[in-house]
Amino acid sequence: VALMAAEASNVLARRGVDAPRFRMVAFGGAGPLTAALLAEEIGIDAILIPPFPGALSALGAARADLEGDLVEPVYERLGALTRGDLARVAAGLDARARAWIGEQTTALSVTDTGIELAADMRYDGQGYDVTVPLDAAWLAAGDFERLRAAFHAAHRATYGHANEGAEIWLKELRAHIVGHTPKPRMALQRGAAMA
């Protein structure tokens, strides 16, 4: 419970969410068993337990899209990278992402796929990263100005300030891959007995 509470608190804090304003939904086989303990730890006052919490979990799995994340370490200052270096790293990540999609979709039907790119970046001497959404065209073209501008904007949005004269480290490139799956049809059954 302590580990779940710590992770939930981190997610809520990163998103600027005040936990007591929300209701916890306890689903899955063991969700209702631990919900009260977890809610007490993170300060949520109300818990919603569906009549069939295990079915809600199964429904989520049946309607879920294929998702995966890949990381390509860079660990270099932007000023030390060339356009070719950046394009080469981006092309390698793209090739890995497309190979992953090909492997995953041999046994799973998907209607379409998409790859979202981001980078973990920080100012020189800074002890924490900022995840910055990227455009694949910036990487392919080695557009360092756009990368710097995107980082400063993300840092400003997250922390309220930016240091536009400081050196920037590109720690890693990330690819978030989504394969949209066909969704099962659902029909509402009126008057179904509740067990």
Side-chain angles (χ1 to χ4, degrees), residues 66-72 89-105 110 113-118 136 173-179:
L66 169 68
E67 293 192 43
D69 292 287
L70 297 173
V71 177
E72 188 70 35
V89 171
L93 182 60
D94 185 66
R96 286 180 50 215
R98 294 190 187 288
W100 185 87
I101 290 168
E103 180 182 310
Q104 298 299 314
T105 57
V110 296
T113 60
I115 302 172
E116 297 173 2
L117 297 174
L173 291 180
R174 298 182 168 277
H176 178 71
I177 307 155
V178 177

Short mmCIF file of all heavy atoms in Angstrom, two decimals, residues 66-72 89-105 110 113-118 136 173-179:
data_model
loop_
_atom_site.label_atom_id
_atom_site.label_comp_id
_atom_site.label_asym_id
_atom_site.label_seq_id
_atom_site.Cartn_x
_atom_site.Cartn_y
_atom_site.Cartn_z
N LEU A 66 -2.80 -1.11 -28.26
CA LEU A 66 -1.43 -1.57 -28.13
C LEU A 66 -0.55 -0.34 -27.87
O LEU A 66 -0.63 0.64 -28.61
CB LEU A 66 -1.00 -2.25 -29.43
CG LEU A 66 0.48 -2.58 -29.60
CD1 LEU A 66 0.88 -3.66 -28.62
CD2 LEU A 66 0.75 -3.02 -31.02
N GLU A 67 0.23 -0.37 -26.82
CA GLU A 67 1.12 0.76 -26.53
C GLU A 67 2.48 0.25 -26.09
O GLU A 67 2.58 -0.79 -25.45
CB GLU A 67 0.53 1.66 -25.43
CG GLU A 67 -0.72 2.37 -25.86
CD GLU A 67 -1.15 3.47 -24.90
OE1 GLU A 67 -0.26 4.22 -24.44
OE2 GLU A 67 -2.34 3.55 -24.62
N GLY A 68 3.50 1.00 -26.46
CA GLY A 68 4.85 0.66 -26.05
C GLY A 68 5.72 1.89 -26.03
O GLY A 68 5.40 2.90 -26.67
N ASP A 69 6.79 1.82 -25.28
CA ASP A 69 7.72 2.93 -25.16
C ASP A 69 9.14 2.43 -25.42
O ASP A 69 9.53 1.38 -24.90
CB ASP A 69 7.64 3.56 -23.77
CG ASP A 69 6.32 4.25 -23.54
OD1 ASP A 69 6.13 5.32 -24.13
OD2 ASP A 69 5.48 3.72 -22.79
N LEU A 70 9.87 3.19 -26.20
CA LEU A 70 11.28 2.90 -26.46
C LEU A 70 12.11 4.12 -26.10
O LEU A 70 11.65 5.26 -26.24
CB LEU A 70 11.49 2.57 -27.94
CG LEU A 70 10.78 1.33 -28.46
CD1 LEU A 70 10.96 1.22 -29.97
CD2 LEU A 70 11.29 0.07 -27.78
N VAL A 71 13.32 3.88 -25.64
CA VAL A 71 14.23 4.96 -25.25
C VAL A 71 15.56 4.78 -25.96
O VAL A 71 16.08 3.67 -26.05
CB VAL A 71 14.45 4.95 -23.71
CG1 VAL A 71 15.45 6.01 -23.31
CG2 VAL A 71 13.14 5.14 -22.98
N GLU A 72 16.08 5.87 -26.48
CA GLU A 72 17.40 5.88 -27.12
C GLU A 72 18.28 6.85 -26.34
O GLU A 72 18.08 8.06 -26.38
CB GLU A 72 17.27 6.33 -28.57
CG GLU A 72 18.53 6.18 -29.38
CD GLU A 72 18.90 4.74 -29.65
OE1 GLU A 72 18.01 3.90 -29.85
OE2 GLU A 72 20.11 4.46 -29.67
N VAL A 89 20.54 9.34 -34.68
CA VAL A 89 19.92 8.80 -33.47
C VAL A 89 18.41 8.69 -33.66
O VAL A 89 17.79 7.69 -33.31
CB VAL A 89 20.25 9.68 -32.24
CG1 VAL A 89 19.45 9.26 -31.03
CG2 VAL A 89 21.74 9.61 -31.93
N ALA A 90 17.80 9.73 -34.25
CA ALA A 90 16.36 9.72 -34.50
C ALA A 90 15.97 8.62 -35.47
O ALA A 90 14.96 7.93 -35.27
CB ALA A 90 15.91 11.08 -35.03
N ALA A 91 16.77 8.41 -36.52
CA ALA A 91 16.48 7.36 -37.49
C ALA A 91 16.58 5.98 -36.84
O ALA A 91 15.78 5.09 -37.13
CB ALA A 91 17.42 7.47 -38.68
N GLY A 92 17.55 5.81 -35.95
CA GLY A 92 17.68 4.54 -35.24
C GLY A 92 16.48 4.26 -34.35
O GLY A 92 15.98 3.12 -34.31
N LEU A 93 16.01 5.28 -33.65
CA LEU A 93 14.83 5.12 -32.79
C LEU A 93 13.60 4.82 -33.63
O LEU A 93 12.80 3.96 -33.30
CB LEU A 93 14.62 6.38 -31.95
CG LEU A 93 13.46 6.34 -30.96
CD1 LEU A 93 13.62 5.21 -29.96
CD2 LEU A 93 13.34 7.67 -30.24
N ASP A 94 13.46 5.51 -34.76
CA ASP A 94 12.32 5.27 -35.65
C ASP A 94 12.35 3.84 -36.18
O ASP A 94 11.32 3.16 -36.24
CB ASP A 94 12.33 6.27 -36.80
CG ASP A 94 11.10 6.15 -37.67
OD1 ASP A 94 9.98 6.42 -37.18
OD2 ASP A 94 11.25 5.74 -38.84
N ALA A 95 13.52 3.36 -36.56
CA ALA A 95 13.64 1.98 -37.07
C ALA A 95 13.28 0.97 -35.99
O ALA A 95 12.57 -0.02 -36.26
CB ALA A 95 15.06 1.73 -37.57
N ARG A 96 13.73 1.21 -34.77
CA ARG A 96 13.37 0.31 -33.66
C ARG A 96 11.88 0.32 -33.40
O ARG A 96 11.27 -0.71 -33.14
CB ARG A 96 14.12 0.71 -32.39
CG ARG A 96 15.58 0.33 -32.41
CD ARG A 96 16.31 0.75 -31.13
NE ARG A 96 15.63 0.33 -29.93
CZ ARG A 96 15.61 1.04 -28.80
NH1 ARG A 96 16.22 2.20 -28.71
NH2 ARG A 96 14.97 0.59 -27.73
N ALA A 97 11.26 1.52 -33.46
CA ALA A 97 9.82 1.64 -33.23
C ALA A 97 9.04 0.89 -34.30
O ALA A 97 8.09 0.16 -34.00
CB ALA A 97 9.42 3.11 -33.20
N ARG A 98 9.43 1.04 -35.55
CA ARG A 98 8.72 0.35 -36.64
C ARG A 98 8.92 -1.17 -36.56
O ARG A 98 8.00 -1.94 -36.85
CB ARG A 98 9.16 0.90 -37.98
CG ARG A 98 8.72 2.36 -38.12
CD ARG A 98 8.87 2.96 -39.48
NE ARG A 98 8.57 4.37 -39.42
CZ ARG A 98 7.36 4.90 -39.27
NH1 ARG A 98 6.31 4.11 -39.16
NH2 ARG A 98 7.18 6.21 -39.22
N ALA A 99 10.10 -1.61 -36.14
CA ALA A 99 10.33 -3.04 -35.95
C ALA A 99 9.46 -3.58 -34.81
O ALA A 99 8.89 -4.67 -34.92
CB ALA A 99 11.81 -3.31 -35.66
N TRP A 100 9.34 -2.80 -33.75
CA TRP A 100 8.50 -3.20 -32.61
C TRP A 100 7.05 -3.32 -33.06
O TRP A 100 6.37 -4.30 -32.71
CB TRP A 100 8.65 -2.20 -31.47
CG TRP A 100 7.91 -2.61 -30.23
CD1 TRP A 100 8.38 -3.41 -29.23
CD2 TRP A 100 6.58 -2.24 -29.86
NE1 TRP A 100 7.41 -3.55 -28.26
CE2 TRP A 100 6.31 -2.84 -28.63
CE3 TRP A 100 5.60 -1.45 -30.45
CZ2 TRP A 100 5.08 -2.70 -27.97
CZ3 TRP A 100 4.39 -1.30 -29.80
CH2 TRP A 100 4.13 -1.91 -28.57
N ILE A 101 6.58 -2.35 -33.82
CA ILE A 101 5.20 -2.40 -34.32
C ILE A 101 5.01 -3.65 -35.18
O ILE A 101 4.03 -4.38 -35.03
CB ILE A 101 4.86 -1.14 -35.14
CG1 ILE A 101 4.76 0.09 -34.22
CG2 ILE A 101 3.55 -1.32 -35.91
CD1 ILE A 101 4.71 1.41 -34.97
N GLY A 102 5.96 -3.92 -36.08
CA GLY A 102 5.86 -5.10 -36.93
C GLY A 102 5.81 -6.39 -36.14
O GLY A 102 5.01 -7.29 -36.44
N GLU A 103 6.64 -6.47 -35.09
CA GLU A 103 6.66 -7.67 -34.26
C GLU A 103 5.36 -7.84 -33.49
O GLU A 103 4.81 -8.94 -33.41
CB GLU A 103 7.85 -7.57 -33.29
CG GLU A 103 7.99 -8.75 -32.37
CD GLU A 103 9.15 -8.56 -31.42
OE1 GLU A 103 10.26 -8.23 -31.89
OE2 GLU A 103 8.96 -8.72 -30.20
N GLN A 104 4.85 -6.76 -32.91
CA GLN A 104 3.65 -6.83 -32.09
C GLN A 104 2.39 -7.11 -32.90
O GLN A 104 1.45 -7.71 -32.40
CB GLN A 104 3.47 -5.53 -31.30
CG GLN A 104 4.58 -5.22 -30.33
CD GLN A 104 4.73 -6.29 -29.27
OE1 GLN A 104 3.76 -6.74 -28.69
NE2 GLN A 104 5.96 -6.72 -29.05
N THR A 105 2.37 -6.65 -34.13
CA THR A 105 1.15 -6.78 -34.93
C THR A 105 1.09 -8.07 -35.74
O THR A 105 0.16 -8.26 -36.51
CB THR A 105 0.97 -5.56 -35.85
OG1 THR A 105 2.13 -5.43 -36.69
CG2 THR A 105 0.77 -4.29 -35.05
N VAL A 110 -4.34 -4.38 -35.66
CA VAL A 110 -4.42 -2.95 -35.37
C VAL A 110 -4.95 -2.23 -36.61
O VAL A 110 -4.71 -2.65 -37.74
CB VAL A 110 -3.07 -2.33 -34.94
CG1 VAL A 110 -2.58 -2.93 -33.65
CG2 VAL A 110 -2.03 -2.47 -36.02
N THR A 113 -1.40 2.99 -36.65
CA THR A 113 -0.38 3.19 -35.62
C THR A 113 0.12 4.63 -35.66
O THR A 113 0.01 5.31 -36.67
CB THR A 113 0.83 2.25 -35.82
OG1 THR A 113 1.40 2.50 -37.10
CG2 THR A 113 0.43 0.79 -35.71
N GLY A 114 0.69 5.04 -34.56
CA GLY A 114 1.30 6.36 -34.48
C GLY A 114 2.48 6.32 -33.53
O GLY A 114 2.53 5.51 -32.61
N ILE A 115 3.44 7.20 -33.80
CA ILE A 115 4.63 7.30 -32.95
C ILE A 115 4.75 8.74 -32.49
O ILE A 115 4.83 9.65 -33.31
CB ILE A 115 5.90 6.88 -33.72
CG1 ILE A 115 5.78 5.44 -34.23
CG2 ILE A 115 7.13 7.02 -32.83
CD1 ILE A 115 6.90 5.03 -35.16
N GLU A 116 4.73 8.95 -31.19
CA GLU A 116 4.93 10.28 -30.61
C GLU A 116 6.35 10.35 -30.06
O GLU A 116 6.77 9.46 -29.33
CB GLU A 116 3.93 10.53 -29.48
CG GLU A 116 2.49 10.52 -29.93
CD GLU A 116 1.52 10.60 -28.75
OE1 GLU A 116 1.98 10.70 -27.59
OE2 GLU A 116 0.32 10.56 -29.00
N LEU A 117 7.06 11.40 -30.43
CA LEU A 117 8.44 11.54 -29.99
C LEU A 117 8.56 12.59 -28.89
O LEU A 117 7.81 13.57 -28.86
CB LEU A 117 9.32 11.95 -31.17
CG LEU A 117 9.39 10.94 -32.31
CD1 LEU A 117 10.17 11.52 -33.48
CD2 LEU A 117 10.03 9.65 -31.83
N ALA A 118 9.49 12.36 -28.00
CA ALA A 118 9.79 13.30 -26.93
C ALA A 118 11.25 13.14 -26.56
O ALA A 118 11.91 12.17 -26.96
CB ALA A 118 8.89 13.05 -25.72
N ALA A 136 9.10 14.99 -35.42
CA ALA A 136 10.09 14.16 -36.11
C ALA A 136 10.88 14.97 -37.15
O ALA A 136 12.07 14.72 -37.37
CB ALA A 136 9.41 12.97 -36.78
N LEU A 173 16.15 10.26 -26.19
CA LEU A 173 14.97 10.41 -27.04
C LEU A 173 14.01 9.29 -26.68
O LEU A 173 14.42 8.17 -26.39
CB LEU A 173 15.34 10.30 -28.52
CG LEU A 173 16.16 11.44 -29.11
CD1 LEU A 173 16.44 11.17 -30.58
CD2 LEU A 173 15.45 12.78 -28.94
N ARG A 174 12.72 9.60 -26.74
CA ARG A 174 11.69 8.63 -26.40
C ARG A 174 10.69 8.50 -27.54
O ARG A 174 10.34 9.50 -28.16
CB ARG A 174 10.93 9.06 -25.15
CG ARG A 174 11.78 9.15 -23.93
CD ARG A 174 10.97 9.54 -22.70
NE ARG A 174 11.74 9.35 -21.51
CZ ARG A 174 11.88 8.20 -20.88
NH1 ARG A 174 11.25 7.13 -21.33
NH2 ARG A 174 12.61 8.09 -19.81
N ALA A 175 10.23 7.29 -27.77
CA ALA A 175 9.16 7.05 -28.73
C ALA A 175 8.02 6.36 -27.99
O ALA A 175 8.22 5.31 -27.37
CB ALA A 175 9.64 6.17 -29.87
N HIS A 176 6.85 6.99 -28.02
CA HIS A 176 5.65 6.36 -27.47
C HIS A 176 4.83 5.88 -28.66
O HIS A 176 4.43 6.67 -29.51
CB HIS A 176 4.84 7.35 -26.62
CG HIS A 176 3.59 6.75 -26.07
ND1 HIS A 176 3.60 5.80 -25.08
CD2 HIS A 176 2.29 6.93 -26.41
CE1 HIS A 176 2.37 5.44 -24.82
NE2 HIS A 176 1.55 6.10 -25.62
N ILE A 177 4.61 4.58 -28.73
CA ILE A 177 3.98 3.96 -29.88
C ILE A 177 2.56 3.54 -29.51
O ILE A 177 2.35 2.93 -28.45
CB ILE A 177 4.77 2.71 -30.33
CG1 ILE A 177 6.25 3.09 -30.53
CG2 ILE A 177 4.18 2.09 -31.56
CD1 ILE A 177 7.19 1.95 -30.39
N VAL A 178 1.62 3.86 -30.37
CA VAL A 178 0.23 3.47 -30.15
C VAL A 178 -0.27 2.76 -31.40
O VAL A 178 -0.14 3.28 -32.50
CB VAL A 178 -0.67 4.69 -29.85
CG1 VAL A 178 -2.11 4.25 -29.69
CG2 VAL A 178 -0.20 5.42 -28.62
N GLY A 179 -0.81 1.57 -31.19
CA GLY A 179 -1.48 0.83 -32.26
C GLY A 179 -2.95 0.72 -31.89
O GLY A 179 -3.29 0.10 -30.87
#
